[in-house]
């Protein structure tokens, strides 16, 4: 069996993790942290709790979107492979469907 299929079967394939983030991502993440810290300093305890709830809810929505996008892309890739394989006989001279 292939290495990817083995990892997938053993729940060792982590397609949702990125090993190295881009410098653009790092810059944006730093800005988010700075703005969050700055805003939390200006808010009282109740407002800070509301902000954390908002951030967590936005994060949950982003995770749902990312999961849906991954699944859609995976399905699209599988359909492309099926299409290519269904037409493979036409790639050889003298073999027509």
């Amino acid at each position: 069996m292939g290495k990817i299929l083995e990892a997938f079967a053993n729940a060792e394939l982590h397609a949702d993790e990125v090993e190295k983030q881009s410098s653009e991502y790092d810059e944006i993440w730093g800005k988010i942290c700075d703005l969050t810290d700055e805003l939390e300093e200006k808010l009282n305890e109740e407002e800070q709790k509301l902000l954390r709830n908002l951030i967590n809810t936005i994060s949950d929505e982003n995770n749902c979107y990312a999961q849906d996008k991954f699944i859609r892309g995976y399905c699209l890739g599988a359909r492309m492979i099926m299409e290519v394989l269904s037409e493979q006989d036409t790639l050889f001279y003298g073999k027509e469907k």
Side-chain angles (χ1 to χ4, degrees), residues 38-80:
E38 184 180 338
L39 187 55
E40 282 184 340
E41 288 175 11
K42 295 180 179 190
L43 301 176
N44 65 38
E45 192 174 318
E46 185 179 326
E47 293 167 332
Q48 287 179 7
K49 183 178 178 183
L50 184 60
L51 174 63
R52 284 190 294 275
N53 285 337
L54 173 63
I55 291 170
N56 289 336
T57 302
I58 290 170
S59 178
D60 291 344
E61 187 275 335
N62 284 336
N63 289 337
C64 287
Y65 176 77
Q67 183 181 28
D68 290 346
K69 189 174 177 182
F70 173 81
I71 291 169
R72 183 172 174 80
Y74 188 93
C75 291
L76 179 60
R79 290 188 72 149
M80 289 171 67

